[in-house]
Amino acid sequence: MSAVAFCLCLITTHELSQRMRQKKKLAKAEEQQSQADTAQMPSLKKPYLGPPLTMGSQHSIYFCQSLKDHSARLGSEFFDQPAISLARAFLGQVLVRRLGDGTQLRGCIVETEAYLGPEDEAAHSRGGRQTPRNRSMFMKPGTLYVYIIYGMYFCMNVSSQGDGACVLLRALEPLQGLETMRQLRSTLRKGTISRALKDRELCSGPSKLCQAFAIDKSFDQRDLAEDEAVWLERGSQEPSASAVVAAARIGIGHAGEWAQKPLRFYIRGNPWVSVVDKVAEQDTQA
DNA sequence: TCCCCGATGCGCT
DNA sequence: GCGCATCGGGGAG
C-alpha cells in the first residue's frame, strides 16, 4: 500500500481504529526501515544525484561540502580521541549511508554532544554503569551506540577514546538523497496525515536524522570505520574554532551541574542546527 | 516563533 | 513501576 493510500485509509476511520492503525503503521514502518539495509525499497524514489539540494541563501557560510571526493573515508585513528575533541572534530564531516538498493544518503554534521563517561552524570555510563544496552559505549572508538528513546525513536552515538565516553550526533545538513530522506521521515513519523516536510525538518534532531538515514537498533555496535552501510567522510571544509558554539546539552535536566556544562557543539549561524542557544553564542564570540 | 503537552514502550532499579 | 540524550501538533503572541 502506498503512503498516500495508507493515509487516506486512516482519515476515514474513527479515532479508536485510527489509533490501532497508527500502531500498525509504526510497526510496518519499522519493518520497512530494517529492510532498507538489506533489500529493496520499492516505495522510495531514486536518489537525487545532482549538486547538493541545499537551501541557497540559507546555506551555511562556514563550509560547503563537495560531492566529488567519495573516497575520503575516515579511519579508526580519527575516532581515537577524547569525546570533547571528537565532538568538535565531527563538525563539517560527512555522514554517508548506503541503503540496500545502493542509494547513498549524505549529510554534513553540524551539531554534536559529548558524553564523557563514568564521571558524567548525564551519560548512560554514569558511575561506570555497563549494561547490555550501553555496551557499545565501552567498545573501541568509532563503534556506534544506537539506543531507543521514548520507546519509539533512535539516537545515534559514536564511541570515543575513554571508557564509556561517546559523541551524540544531533543534526546534519542533508546533502544528497533528500527525497529518500523525506520518504523515510514521512513513513516513520507518528501521526496520520503526512504533510510534506521542509528540508530543515529532515535531520534537525538526533532521532530525525536516524529516521532520515534509516539508522535503527541493528546499527548498534557497528564500526563506523569498517561498516559497508554507514561511514564518515572528511568534509571539504571544517569550521574554524571561532565558528563553533559550545552550549549546554539538550534534554538532560536531571543531571545537576553536568546539565549546564558546555558539551554541545554546533556551527554558528548554521540553519540546520536543532536548537540555537543565543546566550552561549554571546559567551563564545565569533 | 515559542511554549506546552501527549504519545510511547524499552531499560533500569 | 518509573523515567527518558524526542517529536510534532496546536495555540498564543
Side-chain angles (χ1 to χ4, degrees):
Chain A
M1 184 187 295
S2 73
V4 173
F6 196 79
C7 289
L8 286 172
C9 178
L10 291 176
I11 292 167
T12 58
T13 58
H14 61 77
E15 192 177 349
L16 184 60
S17 63
Q18 199 171 46
R19 287 285 301 279
M20 293 174 67
R21 286 166 191 269
Q22 281 180 30
K23 283 197 170 187
K24 285 183 181 176
K25 180 182 176 184
L26 187 61
K28 182 181 175 68
E30 285 175 349
E31 183 185 354
Q32 188 173 23
Q33 179 167 330
S34 295
Q35 288 172 348
D37 189 43
T38 55
Q40 73 290 349
M41 297 191 65
S43 65
L44 299 181
K45 296 176 183 174
K46 289 289 182 186
Y48 181 77
L49 297 176
L53 279 172
T54 50
M55 293 159 53
S57 60
Q58 289 180 303
H59 190 278
S60 169
I61 61 172
Y62 294 101
F63 53 75
C64 179
Q65 168 63 24
S66 163
L67 295 179
K68 291 177 184 174
D69 185 5
H70 290 185
S71 62
R73 180 175 188 144
L74 289 164
S76 54
E77 69 284 350
F78 174 81
F79 304 104
D80 191 12
Q81 52 182 312
I84 292 176
S85 168
L86 184 62
R88 288 178 174 274
F90 269 147
L91 299 177
Q93 314 302 348
V94 177
L95 182 70
V96 187
R97 170 82 168 92
R98 184 163 63 197
L99 302 175
D101 65 353
T103 300
Q104 287 198 1
L105 308 176
R106 284 187 153 71
C108 183
I109 298 172
V110 301
E111 182 183 353
T112 61
E113 284 180 2
Y115 288 85
L116 306 189
E119 61 179 320
D120 186 347
E121 285 299 318
H124 291 170
S125 55
R126 61 186 174 276
R129 286 176 172 81
Q130 197 172 162
T131 66
R133 178 178 70 147
N134 71 0
R135 182 164 176 269
S136 39
M137 295 182 86
F138 296 84
M139 294 171 71
K140 68 174 265 196
T143 303
L144 291 182
Y145 169 41
V146 180
Y147 67 90
I148 299 171
I149 182 78
Y150 293 98
M152 51 202 290
Y153 301 112
F154 297 101
C155 287
M156 175 186 187
N157 301 254
V158 182
S159 168
S160 71
Q161 196 180 86
D163 251 9
C166 67
V167 176
L168 170 70
L169 303 187
R170 280 198 59 90
L172 307 176
E173 172 184 350
L175 298 175
Q176 180 183 333
L178 275 77
E179 289 314 309
T180 301
M181 294 180 199
R182 210 181 317 275
Q183 290 276 351
L184 283 162
R185 287 272 289 117
S186 298
T187 305
L188 295 170
R189 269 163 67 207
K190 180 177 61 133
T192 55
I193 304 171
S194 296
R195 63 179 173 83
L197 286 170
K198 297 172 184 172
D199 290 355
R200 282 166 80 159
E201 297 175 300
L202 293 176
C203 304
S204 56
S207 298
K208 293 178 186 176
L209 72 86
C210 284
Q211 289 183 338
F213 275 64
I215 299 289
D216 61 19
K217 185 71 177 170
S218 71
F219 282 76
D220 187 42
Q221 299 191 14
R222 293 202 196 187
D223 185 353
L224 202 48
E226 299 289 339
D227 200 81
E228 294 295 316
V230 62
W231 64 90
L232 206 64
E233 289 180 1
R234 190 168 290 285
S236 61
Q237 209 172 334
E238 292 165 21
S240 65
S242 63
V244 175
V245 177
R249 293 171 291 184
I250 303 293
I252 52 163
H254 62 284
E257 60 175 308
W258 282 88
Q260 304 304 319
K261 292 185 185 291
L263 294 172
R264 182 167 69 98
F265 304 97
Y266 67 85
I267 297 171
R268 188 188 303 273
N270 188 288
W272 309 93
V273 167
S274 70
V275 180
V276 169
D277 187 330
K278 290 176 182 172
V279 175
E281 291 188 7
Q282 288 178 342
D283 292 344
T284 51
Q285 289 291 334

